[in-house]
């Protein structure tokens, strides 16, 4: 006896490629796929959870399973998922029909990595020996054996954010170097970097190099300004980062700004020094010698026009006033 389906007033269409992996799908995977197809192949995690009766983590795990099989991909909204059109449907589309780009869209930092099941992880590791090598390398970097949750993070960074192996190892090495040895910290850092557009190994290495230069400069500036062991404020960190990363200044010209600050205010004020450095940067002054030449030129111009308005003195007085130094 054969059977047929009573579609009634509507139908949920499954890609034929589902048959290739359906024997490995569990109850949650099947429920979620049925609900997704019944929603015209476009629904978010919350909606799929309501329809299938599965909790959000199970839905994410199911979506990960079907993504791995090439059946499901993220929508452009970054909040929904959709079923992939079958190859036959794509070939049969009318020639004058505009077919939208259906390349997968990565989800952004507001979302969490999928929660893969133990069976899914085992299946991935069995099929991808390079992933096993990566996990071994990550264990060496962290100096410990990873548990299932931690392996889940490693796989998610590769499978979900599509970061390459070199990126993941470099990221973990950086986290260890600053005393943060948890995969949870690495996961949050990865999302932050991804949202900042740092998605390739080359971009990551450049960003880590920048952070290292800022970190080294912070130590020297602490000593210079007599900050001691207290934590830098958010504003102070922002100033220092701008001096190093945005202005490209070295310690020599920052030392010069410190001296100008101390002479003008009698104290080591980072906000005042920032005003000085912002002015020098705007004037294109890159070295202490260039600063000295600029001051000498203005002094000569002042002497040649006695009684003219002294813009330098006005600037310094205005900054002192804004900082409360009357």
């Amino acid at each position: 006896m054969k059977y047929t389906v009573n579609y009634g007033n509507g139908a949920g269409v499954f890609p034929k490629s589902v048959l290739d992996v359906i024997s490995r799908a569990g109850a949650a995977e099947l429920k979620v796929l049925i609900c997704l197809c019944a929603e015209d192949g476009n629904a978010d995690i919350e909606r799929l959870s309501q329809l299938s009766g599965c909790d959000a983590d199970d839905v994410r795990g199911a979506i990960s399973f079907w993504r791995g099989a090439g059946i499901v991909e993220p929508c452009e909204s970054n909040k929904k998922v959709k079923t992939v059109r079958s190859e036959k449907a794509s070939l049969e589309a009318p020639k004058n029909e505009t077919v939208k780009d259906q390349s997968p869209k990565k989800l952004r930092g507001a979302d969490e990595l999928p929660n893969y099941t133990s069976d899914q992880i085992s299946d991935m590791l069995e099929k991808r020996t390079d992933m096993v090598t990566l996990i071994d390398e990550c264990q060496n970097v962290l100096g410990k054996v990873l548990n299932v949750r931690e392996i889940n993070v490693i796989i998610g960074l590769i499978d979900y954010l599509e970061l390459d192996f070199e990126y993941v190892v470099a990221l973990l090495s950086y986290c260890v170097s600053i005393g943060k040895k948890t995969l949870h910290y690495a996961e949050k850092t990865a999302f932050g970097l991804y949202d900042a557009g740092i998605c390739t190994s080359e971009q990551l290495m450049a960003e880590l190099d920048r952070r290292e230069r800022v970190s080294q400069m912070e130590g020297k500036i602490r000593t210079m300004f007599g900050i001691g062991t207290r934590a830098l404020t958010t504003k102070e960190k922002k100033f220092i980062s701008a001096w190093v990363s945005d202005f490209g200044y070295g310690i020599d010209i920052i030392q010069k700004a410190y001296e100008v600050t101390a002479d003008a205010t009698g104290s080591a004020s980072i906000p005042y020094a920032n005003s000085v450095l912002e002015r020098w940067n705007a004037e294109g002054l890159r070295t202490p010698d260039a600063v000295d030449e600029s001051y000498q030129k203005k002094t000569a111009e002042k002497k040649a026009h006695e009684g003219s308005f002294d813009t330098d003195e006005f600037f310094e007085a205005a900054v002192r006033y804004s900082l409360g130094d009357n």
Side-chain angles (χ1 to χ4, degrees):
M1 179 182 296
K2 294 184 178 180
Y3 298 91
T4 186
V5 176
N6 179 9
Y7 290 106
N9 294 323
V13 180
F14 294 85
K16 191 173 182 179
S17 53
V18 168
L19 298 178
D20 297 333
V21 295
I22 197 168
S23 62
R24 294 191 286 109
E29 285 80 8
L30 293 173
K31 288 180 181 179
V32 169
L33 184 62
I34 290 171
C35 294
L36 180 57
C37 290
E39 288 287 284
D40 294 328
N42 192 326
D44 58 20
I45 299 296
E46 182 179 358
R47 177 60 175 165
L48 292 174
S49 179
Q50 293 173 349
L51 291 174
S52 67
C54 300
D55 62 33
D57 285 341
D58 285 341
V59 172
R60 290 190 181 94
I63 293 301
S64 297
F65 175 85
W66 293 117
R67 282 191 65 194
I71 306 299
V72 167
E73 65 184 25
C75 288
E76 293 182 0
S77 65
N78 292 336
K79 291 294 183 180
K80 296 183 177 182
V81 291
K82 65 182 179 182
T83 50
V84 181
R85 293 178 64 184
S86 67
E87 182 179 356
K88 181 178 180 181
S90 298
L91 292 175
E92 292 179 350
K95 292 184 179 180
N96 61 350
E97 177 186 351
T98 301
V99 180
K100 295 182 179 180
D101 178 20
Q102 296 186 357
S103 58
K105 304 294 181 182
K106 301 187 183 93
L107 302 188
R108 306 308 293 266
D111 304 286
E112 297 179 353
L113 294 179
N115 184 25
Y116 302 96
T117 66
S118 297
D119 289 341
Q120 289 171 339
I121 292 175
S122 297
D123 186 57
M124 289 182 189
L125 297 182
E126 183 178 346
K127 292 180 177 178
R128 298 189 59 179
T129 56
D130 57 343
M131 188 74 78
V132 176
T133 302
L134 171 64
I135 291 173
D136 287 341
E137 181 63 23
C138 291
Q139 291 180 146
N140 290 334
V141 170
L142 295 170
K144 67 174 185 177
V145 176
L146 302 181
N147 58 35
V148 173
R149 166 58 188 158
E150 292 168 330
I151 292 175
N152 188 99
V153 173
I154 299 298
I155 292 177
L157 295 178
I158 299 297
D159 178 60
Y160 190 70
L161 290 186
E162 298 181 12
L163 305 175
D164 61 39
F165 288 10
E166 183 181 357
Y167 188 112
V168 173
V169 173
L171 175 61
L172 290 184
S173 298
Y174 165 73
C175 292
V176 170
S177 72
I178 61 173
K180 304 291 187 179
K181 298 184 178 182
T182 67
L183 265 297
H184 177 72
Y185 183 85
E187 176 183 354
K188 296 302 181 184
T189 302
F191 272 121
L193 291 167
Y194 185 88
D195 284 341
I198 301 171
C199 307
T200 68
S201 297
E202 292 75 13
Q203 292 171 331
L204 175 64
M205 297 310 296
E207 171 62 15
L208 296 183
D209 180 66
R210 184 196 70 80
R211 293 189 181 191
E212 178 63 21
R213 286 187 285 108
V214 171
S215 178
Q216 291 178 353
M217 195 69 78
E218 281 183 0
K220 296 178 181 179
I221 292 172
R222 278 179 173 280
T223 302
M224 182 187 302
F225 283 77
I227 294 175
T229 59
R230 77 163 174 82
L232 293 171
T233 66
T234 300
K235 182 178 289 187
E236 288 172 337
K237 287 186 175 182
K238 181 179 179 181
F239 287 154
I240 294 172
S241 179
W243 300 348
V244 179
S245 302
D246 299 338
F247 302 168
Y249 281 155
I251 197 65
D252 54 350
I253 196 168
I254 295 175
Q255 173 74 33
K256 185 73 174 179
Y258 164 77
E259 293 171 358
V260 170
T261 298
D263 290 342
T265 68
S267 64
S269 169
I270 285 186
Y272 188 97
N274 182 68
S275 299
V276 172
L277 289 168
E278 282 185 339
R279 184 188 183 202
W280 291 351
N281 181 63
E283 293 177 359
L285 304 178
R286 314 306 306 164
T287 66
D289 288 343
V291 171
D292 289 339
E293 290 176 6
S294 176
Y295 271 89
Q296 290 170 5
K297 180 179 180 181
K298 290 177 180 178
T299 299
E301 291 175 351
K302 176 184 176 182
K303 290 180 178 179
H305 302 84
E306 280 299 333
S308 63
F309 185 70
D310 191 333
T311 57
D312 284 342
E313 288 182 3
F314 175 79
F315 168 76
E316 293 175 1
V319 173
R320 284 198 297 273
Y321 181 80
S322 67
L323 296 174
D325 298 326
N326 298 318

